[in-house]
């Protein structure tokens, strides 16, 4: 990002700097006031909500505890156990009437109870319009409350709908196992009116969002806007201790939530209230808005002061800019004021000294321009030399053809091709195909000059032929084999293999010649390469670094093996930079 002090006008920067400073101070003040006031409001709200939740918890817990005690005493009633265990049909029917009457009395005497279900083997079905219903035991396993009973002998379900004669009714169900002599006889299920409990949970706050949790942290009863099941799974781990408060920041579509919870000692019930953070901080936001309005007025006042100051600063700068725009080497330049003694005076003095140096530099540039022009003429002259060489070889070729020297003509033709590839219009990198062509020209020249009979084989996949490599890499190794390896021999064989391995190009040059220099006392044989091979090693190290290079060693079966490792180059190095206009 560009420095604004290098891009924008000074008067704009003055105004902007002061404005930003005032805005920053006011923003810090507003944020601090908002943070402190919102924290205080949140603490006050949480304390009040915890006190209210304690009251609600006491009231609701006492009602639910009554239901649990009624369930326990009823499950141990002798008439109920007799009804569930007797096999005599007369006694079962007699006990059925007594049990039905007893359960009905409970329902009528406690308004909180919606109805009672009894799950048993071989039930006797009563009136479908009654609050007391009997069901087969096997139907208990698919009921909403069964998971709670399976973990313990008794337990509460969450809110759900049951079908009664007046329609679907929302209830919470407390189920208890009826066990006699270690044998399960059935389940006693008391349905509690959920709407009555919701009215109690709402208390005096009709728009409150609250939940009632059981001992496992499951929401059994909800009013208002409460978290989803996935959200509650993540949040309930924050609830530690009997009561507390914490803020939820991750709630989508809101600035967060304040969650207050209360659990009474020796009770399984936990009351939770969820309040949007924005609802708590309404007053803090109004305070922040007032501070922002004061800031806007302060910025307007700053505008007038900064504009007046900026004009005093920009006046000498405009003079300097005008002088710079009108500057010329041959014309009359504008004079700058001499009465400034501050930084602007130093700036004007520096500008005058710079003009003097510019004149000196212009003079030196004229001299360098003349020298450069002469160098370009010499470079153009140097470009004539390769063309002269090609033309001379072409004329010698025609002379050899006229003289009937076909071998000499072929050698001159091959030399011309080698020179053209070797010079490559000044390029350092050529394709593998061009390198192989130059190499075959050299080998054919050696075959024509009457030396040892040379056999050669080149293995190179077609897909590698368009890759690039430094020129004149292979020829020194072949020349070394011909001059030293096949010295005083009638024939020799050279094998060249080119392959790609990962991101590297591996080239192997094998010959069956005299091999490397022997040990002490032995007849001198081959060296590991003269100037040409050293030149190849140095060029590879200069182009690509130490991880690429040449390794020369003895060939299995006699002779010499050279391995050349290069990077895979799909294009000439520096091509992308040239196309982008770099270099």
């Amino acid at each position: 990002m560009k420095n604004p002090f290098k891009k924008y006008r000074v008067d704009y920067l003055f105004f902007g700097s002061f404005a930003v400073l005032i805005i920053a101070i006011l923003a810090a003040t507003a944020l601090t006031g908002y943070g402190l006031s919102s924290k205080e409001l949140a603490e006050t709200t949480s304390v009040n909500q915890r006190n209210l939740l304690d009251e609600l918890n006491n009231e609701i817990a006492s009602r639910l505890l009554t239901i649990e005690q009624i369930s326990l005493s009823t499950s141990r009633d002798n008439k109920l156990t007799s009804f569930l265990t007797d096999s005599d049909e007369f006694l079962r029917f007699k006990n059925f009437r007594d049990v039905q009457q007893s359960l009905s009395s409970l329902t009528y005497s406690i308004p909180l109870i919606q109805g009672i279900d009894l799950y048993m083997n071989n039930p006797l079905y009563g009136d479908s319009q009654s609050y007391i219903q009997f069901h087969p035991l096997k139907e208990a396993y698919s009921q909403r409350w069964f998971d709670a009973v399976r973990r313990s002998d008794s337990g509460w379900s969450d809110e759900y709908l049951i079908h009664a004669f007046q329609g679907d009714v929302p209830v919470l169900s407390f189920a208890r196992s009826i066990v006699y002599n270690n044998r399960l006889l059935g389940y006693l299920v008391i349905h509690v009116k959920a709407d009555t409990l919701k009215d109690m949970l709402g208390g005096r706050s009709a728009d409150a969002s609250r939940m009632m949790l059981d001992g496992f942290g499951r929401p059994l009863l909800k009013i208002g806007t409460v978290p989803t099941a996935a959200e509650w799974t993540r949040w309930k781990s924050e609830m530690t201790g009997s009561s507390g408060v914490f803020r939820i920041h991750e709630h989508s579509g809101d600035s967060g939530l304040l969650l207050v919870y209360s659990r009474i000692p020796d009770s399984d019930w936990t009351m939770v209230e969820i309040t949007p953070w924005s609802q708590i901080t309404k007053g803090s936001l109004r305070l922040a808005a007032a501070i922002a309005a004061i800031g806007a007025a302060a910025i307007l006042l700053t505008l007038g002061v900064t504009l007046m100051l900026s004009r005093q600063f920009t006046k000498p700068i405009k003079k300097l800019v005008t002088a710079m725009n009108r500057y010329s080497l041959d014309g009359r330049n504008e004079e700058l004021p001499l009465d400034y003694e501050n930084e602007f005076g130093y700036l004007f003095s520096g500008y005058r000294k710079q003009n003097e140096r510019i004149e000196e530099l212009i003079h030196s540039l004229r001299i360098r321009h003349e020298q450069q022009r002469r160098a370009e003429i010499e470079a153009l002259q140097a470009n004539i030399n390769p063309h002269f060489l090609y033309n001379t070889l072409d004329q010698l070729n025609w002379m050899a053809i006229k003289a009937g020297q076909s071998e000499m003509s072929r050698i001159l033709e091959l030399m011309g091709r080698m020179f053209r590839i070797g010079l490559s219009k000044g390029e350092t990198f050529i394709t593998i195909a061009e390198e192989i062509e130059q190499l075959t020209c050299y080998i054919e020249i050696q075959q024509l000059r009457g030396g040892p009979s040379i056999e050669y084989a080149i293995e190179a996949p077609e897909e590698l032929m368009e890759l690039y490599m430094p020129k004149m890499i292979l020829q020194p190794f072949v020349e070394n084999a011909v001059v030293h390896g096949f010295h005083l021999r009638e024939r020799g064989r050279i094998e060249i293999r080119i392959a790609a391995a990962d991101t590297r190009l591996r080239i192997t040059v094998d010959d069956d010649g005299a091999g490397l220099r022997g040990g002490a006392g032995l007849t001198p044989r081959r060296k590991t390469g003269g100037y040409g091979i050293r030149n190849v090693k140095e060029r590879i190290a200069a182009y690509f670094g130490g991880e690429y290079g040449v390794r020369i060693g003895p060939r299995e079966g006699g002779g010499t093996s050279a391995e050349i490792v290069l990077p895979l180059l799909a294009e000439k190095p520096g091509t992308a930079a040239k196309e982008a206009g770099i270099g």
Side-chain angles (χ1 to χ4, degrees), residues 19-39:
V20 169
L21 178 61
I22 293 175
I23 290 173
I25 294 174
L26 291 173
T29 304
L31 289 175
T32 303
Y34 172 78
L36 293 175
S37 60
S38 61
K39 182 179 180 181

Side-chain angles (χ1 to χ4, degrees), residues 390-402 408-409 412:
Y390 300 150
N391 293 336
T392 302
L393 288 174
D394 190 50
Q395 292 175 4
L396 290 174
N397 184 24
W398 281 107
M399 291 174 65
I401 291 174
K402 288 181 180 181
M408 181 60 69
S409 171
L412 291 171

Side-chain angles (χ1 to χ4, degrees), residues 50 53-55 57-58 61-62 65 241-243 261-271:
R50 269 186 288 184
L53 291 178
D54 288 342
E55 294 178 7
N57 204 341
N58 280 321
S62 64
L65 182 60
S242 60
S243 62
Y261 62 94
S262 171
R263 182 184 299 115
I264 298 177
D266 301 327
S267 172
D268 289 335
W269 308 108
T270 302
M271 300 298 168

Side-chain angles (χ1 to χ4, degrees), residues 319-455:
K319 286 183 176 292
L320 179 60
V321 172
T322 302
M324 294 173 63
N325 290 334
R326 294 180 180 178
Y327 176 80
S328 65
L329 290 174
D330 302 324
R332 180 177 177 83
N333 295 319
E334 185 169 335
E335 294 293 334
L336 293 174
L338 299 175
D339 56 347
Y340 279 90
E341 299 179 1
N342 54 13
E343 287 80 4
F344 291 111
Y346 300 147
L347 189 62
F348 293 158
S349 176
Y351 175 71
R352 284 188 287 266
K353 291 179 180 179
Q354 184 178 358
N355 287 346
E356 295 173 0
R357 293 197 60 188
I358 288 174
E359 294 175 359
E360 295 174 0
L361 289 173
I362 291 295
H363 178 69
S364 64
L365 285 174
R366 286 173 178 168
I367 296 175
R368 290 184 59 185
H369 176 71
E370 183 64 26
Q371 293 173 346
Q372 183 178 359
R373 189 175 65 84
R374 288 199 299 268
E376 290 175 351
I377 294 174
E378 292 174 359
L380 291 173
Q381 181 66 36
N383 288 337
I384 299 175
N385 294 335
H387 296 285
F388 170 76
L389 178 61
Y390 300 150
N391 293 336
T392 302
L393 288 174
D394 190 50
Q395 292 175 4
L396 290 174
N397 184 24
W398 281 107
M399 291 174 65
I401 291 174
K402 288 181 180 181
Q405 296 290 333
S406 59
E407 290 187 358
M408 181 60 69
S409 171
R410 179 60 177 167
I411 289 174
L412 291 171
E413 180 184 352
L414 294 171
M415 287 180 63
R417 289 168 60 188
M418 285 185 64
F419 283 140
R420 289 184 186 275
I421 296 173
L423 293 173
S424 304
K425 298 180 181 180
E427 296 287 348
T428 302
F429 291 82
I430 61 176
T431 62
I432 294 177
E434 291 173 327
E435 179 75 6
I436 292 175
E437 181 183 357
Q438 185 186 44
L439 185 64
T440 55
C441 289
Y442 172 78
I443 295 175
E444 188 174 346
I445 290 173
Q446 297 303 317
Q447 290 173 333
L448 291 172
R449 61 185 284 270
S453 177
I454 301 173
E455 297 179 1

